[in-house]
Amino acid sequence: MSKLYNSTCYCTNLRRSANAMSEFYDSALKEAELTISQYYLLVNLSRLGKANITHWSEQVGLDRSTMVRNIKPLQSRGLIEGAEGHGKTFTLSEKGRHALDTATVIWQQMQEKMEQFLGKEDADAILRIGSRLQDLKD
């Protein structure tokens, strides 16, 4: 593979970095049959206990239509199930809890590997800068 153009664009560099990190985590999470995006959704649903699509999407920072698309594979695989509540409300199924438990062990290992790769200072910088950028508005 040839070396990528060394861009000075902040957005390009962040997107490339995000893609590389997603591939890093996705590769490891294949064992749990989840992607990092699916893991993130399940972690947040677990934290919430149960949530309707609107509340869940607000908690994870996705628009509602994107959330609906992302929920479908989780639902069809039996990882989440309907729950009582306002609107379409979901909770983790027993299968989803098991998948999340398995994936969490892998995720923790990948977090440690990422911190070893970057060093503690740069790993902390990613969290600090990422948090700040999430507040970026036009």
Side-chain angles (χ1 to χ4, degrees):
M1 185 167 127
S2 64
K3 180 116 171 89
L4 293 173
Y5 164 72
N6 189 17
S7 175
T8 59
C9 175
Y10 300 123
C11 186
T12 297
N13 278 284
L14 271 172
R15 290 174 63 100
R16 286 179 183 173
S17 298
N19 288 338
M21 288 186 91
S22 291
E23 289 174 16
F24 178 77
Y25 282 85
D26 284 350
S27 176
L29 287 169
K30 277 184 183 175
E31 181 182 327
E33 298 179 8
L34 293 173
T35 65
I36 190 62
S37 298
Q38 292 169 334
Y39 174 75
Y40 178 66
L41 293 176
L42 294 179
V43 163
N44 278 280
L45 184 57
S46 176
R47 181 180 58 80
L48 295 167
K50 67 177 182 176
N52 65 32
I53 294 172
T54 301
H55 182 63
W56 193 8
S57 67
E58 289 169 352
Q59 293 296 301
V60 298
L62 293 175
D63 64 71
R64 197 174 187 289
S65 62
T66 301
M67 190 69 178
V68 169
R69 283 192 307 276
N70 283 287
I71 286 173
K72 285 181 181 178
L74 299 176
Q75 195 173 18
S76 68
R77 290 180 46 213
L79 300 175
I80 61 173
E81 58 192 14
E84 292 222 10
H86 180 69
K88 277 201 148 207
T89 301
F90 295 94
T91 190
L92 285 179
S93 66
E94 192 57 42
K95 184 178 179 181
R97 277 188 260 293
H98 178 71
L100 183 57
D101 289 344
T102 300
T104 297
V105 172
I106 297 166
W107 177 83
Q108 288 170 336
Q109 293 168 348
M110 301 316 288
Q111 288 285 101
E112 290 169 11
K113 286 182 181 182
M114 187 58 69
E115 188 173 300
Q116 288 172 358
F117 176 76
L118 294 170
K120 178 81 170 122
E121 187 177 323
D122 285 348
D124 287 346
I126 285 177
L127 296 177
R128 181 179 47 77
I129 294 166
S131 179
R132 192 159 172 214
L133 286 171
Q134 291 170 44
D135 292 331
L136 184 65
K137 302 282 187 260
D138 255 352

